[in-house]
Amino acid sequence: MTSPSLSRKEAESQVRSWGFSHVFTWTDGGGAHYAPHKHSSLTTHLILSGSLTIAYPGSEDKKEKTTHGPGERLDVDAGQVHEVWIGREGCTYVIGE
């Protein structure tokens, strides 16, 4: 786990240190929803504030929804179908692709 007190700049630097070249910070408002989708490469999400819940529709290995909050890192494998719900308070996170 990463410290939840990182600044945006520190968090982006940390994600780059993990080997991701395209790094940016994103904020979603409370209650946002991303329908099932997938990405062509591994993505990582480092939560700075708020929370998100993720599910993997159709996955035999990952059947439970999981909720992630400040300081947590969440990786989604290339081609993995996933669906995301943003917590009531919104969520700010650094994305690495």
Side-chain angles (χ1 to χ4, degrees):
M1 184 188 294
T2 306
S3 170
S5 61
L6 290 177
S7 71
R8 174 180 171 169
K9 184 177 179 179
E10 291 168 330
E12 288 178 355
S13 179
Q14 182 159 25
V15 171
R16 279 189 194 88
S17 79
W18 296 335
F20 293 93
S21 58
H22 184 219
V23 175
F24 58 98
T25 298
W26 189 260
T27 299
D28 285 305
H33 172 249
Y34 292 94
H37 64 285
K38 60 185 175 179
H39 305 278
S40 60
S41 61
L42 172 70
T43 60
T44 194
H45 308 75
L46 176 57
I47 313 296
L48 299 180
S49 65
S51 66
L52 64 76
T53 299
I54 189 166
Y56 302 91
S59 173
E60 290 299 315
D61 298 334
K62 301 175 181 178
K63 295 184 181 207
E64 306 269 331
K65 288 182 182 179
T66 58
T67 300
H68 302 272
E72 291 187 71
R73 175 183 176 175
L74 169 65
D75 289 345
V76 179
D77 292 332
Q80 175 72 64
V81 175
H82 56 289
E83 184 171 9
V84 177
W85 296 265
I86 302 300
R88 191 175 16 204
E89 71 283 8
C91 189
T92 297
Y93 46 103
V94 177
I95 299 172
E97 301 176 322

